[in-house]
Amino acid sequence: MRILLFALLFLPLALGSAAAQTGNAQAGKTLWEGPATQCRNCHGQNGEGAFGPDLAGRGLTVAQFTRAVRQPWGIMPGYIESQISDGDIADLVAYFNGLKPADRPGPWRFEVPQGAPRGQEVALATIGCAQCHGPILNGPRANAGAVGADFRWFSTMVYDHAKVMPAHWKTLGEQPAVRVRMGTYSRTRLPEAVLMEVFNWAKDIGFRPDIQGRLSAGVPGADGVTYTLNVENIGLQGRGLTAEDLTINLVVPAGANVVRTTGANYQGVRQDADLKANVAVWQVNRLGPKEHQTYTLTLSRAGTQSDNVRGAIRWTKPAVKTGPVDQANIAPAPLAPATQ
Ligand code: HEC
Ligand code: HEC
């Protein structure tokens, strides 16, 4: 009798944990908040809900969560094992089931602006692309400009994303940031005609040349610290867009002086309203696909964590409908000294 009672009490528990592998809540939190996933753009920073439903404290099982991620029933893109593993899913379930449910869903990351064109409304509110890519799809428009995109290319990137993205990175000579983070959209849930509205709108605003600026860490020398900036148009030869009338701006940290610069057409230091700082400025007439320029900026002191050298590259052609000037940001220089 005692043995039977024991078995009755513990058998369901044992079965339950075997079927639903238990995850690690801390690992789930780290994954959710880290650079390897972007689910939070739709589900909220803490799973409180936004464009997508809330996940925190919902008590979803591993099986339910897995089904939702691998074979979404609605507009959410699906994710494969190399993007989110079964172990990752178990960790996310453990994390969310340890959180309190949200009182109400959080705000969307990006709302639909008043008077938005139809394609933008679709991208923001119907299929959610712009919840990750931002309200004017700057990244995809630059990648489209780099390869001379047509709708076929665009739709492959959406319907076969996880499969084709690594090859696209390779074509452009780019190092993947972490792993493929966008899911793969289903042709039945997202019909081509709807995706075409997004494509036509993005093309109408204008595809962009893919201009990238990369700063080295500061290298200390006899009379100051030298930063090297490489500016490159990573577009494909014969297919990518050329940028014209470019201005390159590097922020000079407050209190630092420019000791020396190299690189053609240096214009001196001026105040920049957008970057809210003094900037060292260079000009370039045009930068075509695979063309690059190198600049150096030697400062009297190194930037720090809070004011490290960063900047922006701006150009006026090709003109886009988002404003008279288009721009690519230059991320802050790494703080670690450059290795020789
Ligand atoms: C483009 C926005 C978007 C992204 C990105 C996204 N989701 Fe979703 N998610 C949704 C929507 C919308 C739903 C509702 C069902 C649907 O439309 O497929 C959903 C449903 C879910 C559900 C089921 C919730 C329920 O109430 O049953 C889970 C679990 C989930 N998503 C997890 C994830 C994870 C994990 C990721 C990242 C790997 C992710 N989602 C990325 C929008 C998104
Ligand atoms: C979860 C956030 C997310 C959503 C939602 C999303 N994307 Fe992406 N997309 C990315 C990321 C990140 C990349 C870079 C490759 C990667 O890591 O997947 C990318 C890559 C792309 C690319 C390839 C060129 C490039 O910009 O790197 C295109 C085109 C693209 N997305 C279009 C779309 C469209 C159209 C939609 C809506 C149908 C969409 N994306 C939805 C995050 C997202």
Side-chain angles (χ1 to χ4, degrees):
M1 184 63 197
R2 274 185 51 201
I3 290 169
L4 185 64
L5 194 63
F6 186 86
L8 279 176
L9 272 175
F10 288 93
L11 191 67
L13 264 183
L15 279 179
S17 59
Q21 46 172 310
T22 37
N24 175 322
Q26 184 54 47
K29 178 177 161 68
T30 305
L31 176 70
W32 185 259
E33 292 171 356
T37 64
Q38 297 192 337
C39 322
R40 60 187 178 281
N41 289 343
C42 287
H43 289 283
Q45 187 62 28
N46 305 300
E48 70 276 22
F51 173 84
D54 54 328
L55 303 174
R58 291 272 316 284
L60 294 173
T61 64
V62 171
Q64 289 168 324
F65 205 101
T66 304
R67 161 108 208 171
V69 169
R70 301 267 185 254
Q71 294 144 314
W73 55 88
I75 199 56
M76 175 174 141
Y79 292 79
I80 58 174
E81 170 79 22
S82 63
Q83 298 182 279
I84 304 282
S85 70
D86 290 345
D88 291 337
I89 290 179
D91 291 344
L92 289 175
V93 170
Y95 168 52
F96 286 123
N97 288 350
L99 295 180
K100 279 211 212 70
D103 296 335
R104 65 182 75 86
W108 287 18
R109 184 163 177 241
F110 299 109
E111 295 288 346
V112 181
Q114 248 187 357
R118 166 83 185 147
Q120 185 178 30
E121 192 187 325
V122 172
L124 277 161
T126 315
I127 55 180
C129 323
Q131 296 299 329
C132 283
H133 287 292
I136 50 172
L137 303 187
N138 261 336
R141 284 170 48 234
N143 278 264
V147 299
D150 54 12
F151 181 69
R152 217 184 112 79
W153 173 87
F154 193 74
S155 61
T156 306
M157 284 293 152
V158 170
Y159 295 128
D160 290 310
H161 185 74
K163 209 166 82 198
V164 299
M165 193 64 212
H168 175 67
W169 271 321
K170 213 165 159 195
T171 310
L172 292 182
E174 285 194 294
Q175 289 297 325
V178 250
R179 45 171 120 146
V180 177
R181 294 147 299 168
M182 168 177 153
T184 298
Y185 280 82
S186 136
R187 269 177 207 278
T188 35
R189 308 278 185 237
L190 166 53
E192 268 199 9
V194 176
L195 183 61
M196 186 138 2
E197 296 192 80
V198 174
F199 177 80
N200 287 340
W201 161 68
K203 193 172 172 182
D204 178 60
I205 316 174
F207 291 161
R208 320 169 59 219
D210 203 338
I211 308 293
Q212 305 210 347
R214 285 206 184 80
L215 271 168
S216 73
V219 178
D223 55 355
V225 181
T226 300
Y227 294 85
T228 302
L229 172 69
N230 281 304
V231 175
E232 188 182 1
N233 181 333
I234 68 162
L236 299 184
Q237 239 141 13
R239 284 164 66 189
L241 295 173
T242 295
E244 291 178 66
D245 181 26
L246 301 95
T247 312
I248 291 150
N249 307 275
L250 280 186
V251 167
V252 178
N257 294 320
V258 175
V259 176
R260 185 165 6 91
T261 66
T262 64
N265 295 324
Y266 179 59
Q267 309 289 308
V269 174
R270 54 172 92 124
Q271 168 72 29
D272 189 88
D274 201 41
L275 291 164
K276 295 187 188 68
N278 283 332
V279 293
V281 181
W282 292 261
Q283 269 169 3
V284 193
N285 285 339
R286 48 179 284 137
L287 201 64
K290 297 291 170 249
E291 287 179 349
H292 57 89
Q293 299 277 346
T294 303
Y295 304 91
T296 67
L297 174 67
T298 303
L299 298 174
S300 54
R301 76 156 171 93
T304 62
Q305 177 95 47
S306 61
D307 69 356
N308 215 1
V309 181
R310 62 187 198 286
I313 305 163
R314 303 190 183 124
W315 59 92
T316 62
K317 283 185 203 158
V320 285
K321 289 189 176 170
T322 51
V325 179
D326 200 359
Q327 125 167 13
N329 293 326
I330 302 168
L335 275 176
T339 44
Q340 307 296 301

